[in-house]
Amino acid sequence: MSLPRPIRNLLVANRGEIAVRIINTAREHDPPLSVFTVFTPNDTAHTLSLPPSHALELSSVKDYLDIALIISLAKQHHIDAVHPGYGFLAESADFASQMWAQARVTVIGPGADILACTGDKLAARALAEECDVPVLPAMTQPVKQAEDVRAFVDKFGLPVILKAVDGGGGRGIRLVEKHTDLEGAVNGALAESPSNRIFVEKAALRGFRHIEVQIIGDGTGKVAHLWERECSIQRRYQKVIEMAPSSIRQKCGNLVARMIDSAVRMASTLKYRSLGTFEFLASPLTSEYFFLEINPRLQVEHTVTEQIASVDLVNLQLHIAQGGSLGNYKNPTVLTNIDKPQAELALLPPATKALQLRITAEDPSRSFAPSTGTIDGFSLPSGNGIRVDSGLASQQRNLVSPDFDSLLAKVIVTGNSWSETRRKARRALEDIDFDALKTNTDLLRAIVVSQDFANYDCDTRWLELNASDLMKAYPHAKERRPSTRLSQVATPENVSSVFSSSALLRKGDGWNIALEPQSLTHIDGAVPSNHFLKLDRVLRNDFPRLVVADVSYSMPKAEGQLQFRMTVNATSASASDTSNSSARRGDPTNPRHVITPFSGTLVEVLVDEGDQVEPGQIICIIKQMKMELEVRAQAQQRGVATWVTNIEDGANIGEGVLVAELESGQDRLKTTAKI
């Protein structure tokens, strides 16, 4: 276990908005900390507030998970502590242990021992049972075979939830409501588990809310809470909107108090240190609640707790990591809360309401397909009660890559009442604009103006069941709103259209390039050795197959710049990029074509030529960002696969690629891909 000591040099081992969030608090620390961070090429926005020598380049995305490399960097730069943020190594007990053992560096968080207990969902569940906290029926040992899961289903029935023992952020979770989906769900959950271990739990679906309690502890047994948050508005176990306090507090205050009391008792038993989030499912109809899991780290949605409690949770983490106690933390909310009996405090509502709206690079109108490419310009809201946490930089182009999570920004809205908070949220969403990049903003707009949202009538299944109707009902959905950007001044250098293609540049791509002059500037003499080409406006981007753009081109011996209309046609491309012309494109009007509805990495094709395809059968699995998603034939489709793509597993696959062609004899039913 690491020993508390003053922190002078802090390494932020993360990226994006959470890296910026941590860096800002470290710069406000008394005294200010010397902050280092890591980055990969084309992902540098979070480094801009730091001296160049404090931005440490990684060679690839995988390096964020390379414990040996992080230890080496820590030694080289005399780091005292590492803040892991969330994701990557944030919940790794091995990381926390090795950093201290090999480099005497503290990892900000609860420590290796608590991480080992809480990071394992079965161990956390055992702790809940020890503390007499209600849990759902579940297996007590991890499994790796579908047969073991079937035995549980035979006893407890469907629906069930499959969970990776060591999953997080929605990974490794599968809901099974039909027996025919069981084997595929087991395989999918296992694939997203780092240890290849899952367990099964009885599912609590209809009417349940996702409630989580923010816990703080100083490692001495002194534990307090900062009320609860609600994360019921979610899709595929990915949270979309969070609020604090919960929507059920007003009508079910005693139910909320019981969950908070359970969280405090569990944390006290652990002698919890630093921040922890204890998660529950709760039914306001039956007053039942069940423990889900512990997240032993800073949460994405920590912001709403900060707003209602007027506390900087990252600063509180730094205070505890340096040996500080809750009793000497100079914040009136924390001092007041630890002095009151926790059960009594749980019944007292905070004075304000807060919402967090996650702005993601996803297109809800296309089954939430990820949007990738570059952002040249964007507009984010401001004003009274509006906070924005973002990893984007207005002074440079921002790359949205499938290598990372799709989160672009978090808009946090605070008001004195629920109606005021909703009004602020509506206005804030109207002020969001991203040039040429599809986001989920229209869906968020539809949610915040819906009557169900106003009435607190959204359970954990609400969004998945109503997303399509919400998009249809919202009058501005799918409309391109006029840009009102103030965050970036329009100049000839930055008014270029951004890439809309979901494919990234790849080594080995080649094209025949036709340049049609748009100016009469004279070129004199021999071909120079150095050239400069700048995109002024992208007219069409089907990269790498076809790109049409207006460009400026300059050479050392020519005065000024030449303007061209550039047309780029692919002649060859790397075999692993299936957006190229060799990949067979599907015909959306052909009832026999199964077509990819989004781009990503092909994990596996599950049918062969000659196979009989049954209703709802999985055709292939595509990895999007951090999730593995299934592409299925339509529910009533039956037929023989007469052609199957030969794209290799692990290759990039574009949207609209033909995966399989079906022949169903007289039953020419339309076959489409669905998630």
Side-chain angles (χ1 to χ4, degrees), residues 120 142-144 163-166 189-190 193-199:
D120 184 309
V143 298
K144 296 184 178 182
K163 295 183 178 181
V165 171
D166 45 3
L190 285 170
S193 167
S195 65
N196 201 39
R197 296 182 304 148
I198 64 171
F199 72 102

Side-chain angles (χ1 to χ4, degrees), residues 28 139 167 307 492 559:
E28 296 170 4
M139 295 182 115
Q307 296 306 113
E559 295 184 4

Side-chain angles (χ1 to χ4, degrees), residues 66-234:
D66 190 333
I67 294 176
L69 175 61
I70 302 298
I71 289 174
S72 176
L73 292 174
K75 289 180 177 179
Q76 181 181 347
H77 296 280
H78 309 289
I79 299 299
D80 300 307
V82 175
H83 200 306
Y86 56 74
F88 294 130
L89 295 169
E91 296 184 45
S92 171
D94 192 34
F95 178 54
S97 177
Q98 287 194 45
M99 285 299 299
W100 180 254
Q102 297 187 37
R104 285 299 184 262
V105 171
T106 298
V107 174
I108 305 296
D113 291 342
I114 292 177
L115 285 170
C117 173
T118 58
D120 184 309
K121 288 183 173 62
L122 285 175
R125 177 187 168 87
L127 173 66
E129 292 182 292
E130 177 187 337
C131 296
D132 294 323
V133 176
V135 294
L136 288 160
M139 295 182 115
T140 58
Q141 297 296 324
V143 298
K144 296 184 178 182
Q145 303 293 332
E147 289 75 16
D148 297 323
V149 177
R150 285 195 184 94
F152 180 88
V153 170
D154 289 342
K155 181 177 181 180
F156 292 99
L158 293 173
V160 297
I161 294 279
L162 307 181
K163 295 183 178 181
V165 171
D166 45 3
R171 294 183 300 276
I173 300 178
R174 295 291 189 278
L175 171 66
V176 180
E177 297 183 272
K178 298 188 297 184
H179 289 278
T180 53
D181 292 339
L182 186 59
E183 186 167 353
V186 169
N187 292 336
L190 285 170
E192 294 175 12
S193 167
S195 65
N196 201 39
R197 296 182 304 148
I198 64 171
F199 72 102
V200 59
E201 186 174 77
K202 183 65 177 173
L205 299 179
R206 293 169 180 80
F208 278 84
R209 310 298 177 92
H210 188 159
I211 309 295
E212 55 185 42
V213 180
Q214 180 66 71
I215 290 294
I216 52 175
D218 58 17
T220 66
K222 176 73 76 174
V223 170
H225 72 83
L226 292 175
W227 294 288
E228 83 283 359
R229 302 184 286 258
E230 181 172 348
C231 313
S232 299
I233 299 178
Q234 55 186 256

Side-chain angles (χ1 to χ4, degrees), residues 506-507 573-580 600 647-654:
R506 297 181 62 83
K507 183 178 180 180
S574 59
S576 61
D577 187 351
T578 60
S579 297
N580 60 37
I647 297 170
E648 295 181 0
D649 295 351
N652 287 348
I653 188 166

Side-chain angles (χ1 to χ4, degrees), residues 206 234 459-470:
R206 293 169 180 80
Q234 55 186 256
D459 62 16
T460 56
R461 300 274 281 172
W462 178 81
L463 181 56
E464 291 199 52
L465 296 175
N466 292 279
S468 178
D469 290 339
L470 285 165

Side-chain angles (χ1 to χ4, degrees), residues 9-121:
N9 296 330
L10 176 71
L11 173 62
V12 179
N14 216 301
R15 60 167 297 280
E17 61 84 18
I18 193 60
V20 174
R21 165 74 189 84
I22 297 165
I23 290 168
N24 286 342
T25 288
R27 294 169 62 202
E28 296 170 4
H29 191 271
D30 185 17
L33 303 182
S34 179
V35 189
F36 295 75
T37 192
V38 288
F39 70 96
T40 54
N42 298 320
D43 184 46
T44 62
H46 61 286
T47 70
L48 296 181
S49 66
L50 302 179
S53 61
H54 286 206
L56 313 178
E57 184 171 357
L58 304 176
S59 61
S60 73
V61 175
K62 293 180 180 179
D63 288 346
Y64 279 103
L65 298 171
D66 190 333
I67 294 176
L69 175 61
I70 302 298
I71 289 174
S72 176
L73 292 174
K75 289 180 177 179
Q76 181 181 347
H77 296 280
H78 309 289
I79 299 299
D80 300 307
V82 175
H83 200 306
Y86 56 74
F88 294 130
L89 295 169
E91 296 184 45
S92 171
D94 192 34
F95 178 54
S97 177
Q98 287 194 45
M99 285 299 299
W100 180 254
Q102 297 187 37
R104 285 299 184 262
V105 171
T106 298
V107 174
I108 305 296
D113 291 342
I114 292 177
L115 285 170
C117 173
T118 58
D120 184 309
K121 288 183 173 62

Side-chain angles (χ1 to χ4, degrees), residues 341-359:
Q342 294 300 297
E344 176 186 326
L345 178 65
L347 292 170
L348 299 175
T352 57
K353 311 280 186 182
L355 282 174
Q356 176 175 276
L357 311 161
R358 298 194 190 195
I359 313 302

Side-chain angles (χ1 to χ4, degrees), residues 375-446:
I375 304 170
D376 276 339
F378 59 91
S379 177
L380 294 171
S382 60
N384 180 266
I386 308 296
R387 163 183 169 181
V388 177
D389 283 17
S390 170
L392 302 175
S394 60
Q395 61 267 51
Q396 69 175 37
R397 302 181 84 188
N398 297 273
L399 176 67
V400 180
S401 164
D403 291 330
F404 299 116
D405 188 275
S406 62
L407 183 64
L408 298 174
K410 303 185 308 194
V411 176
I412 304 98
V413 182
T414 307
N416 292 316
S417 67
W418 179 233
S419 60
E420 179 187 342
T421 306
R422 287 187 290 110
R423 291 195 303 270
K424 286 179 179 290
R426 184 198 65 215
R427 193 272 297 171
L429 288 166
E430 289 174 355
D431 292 345
I432 294 174
D433 183 63
F434 286 89
D435 283 358
L437 187 78
K438 283 287 188 179
T439 71
N440 68 332
T441 308
D442 273 339
L443 176 62
L444 294 174
R445 292 169 183 153

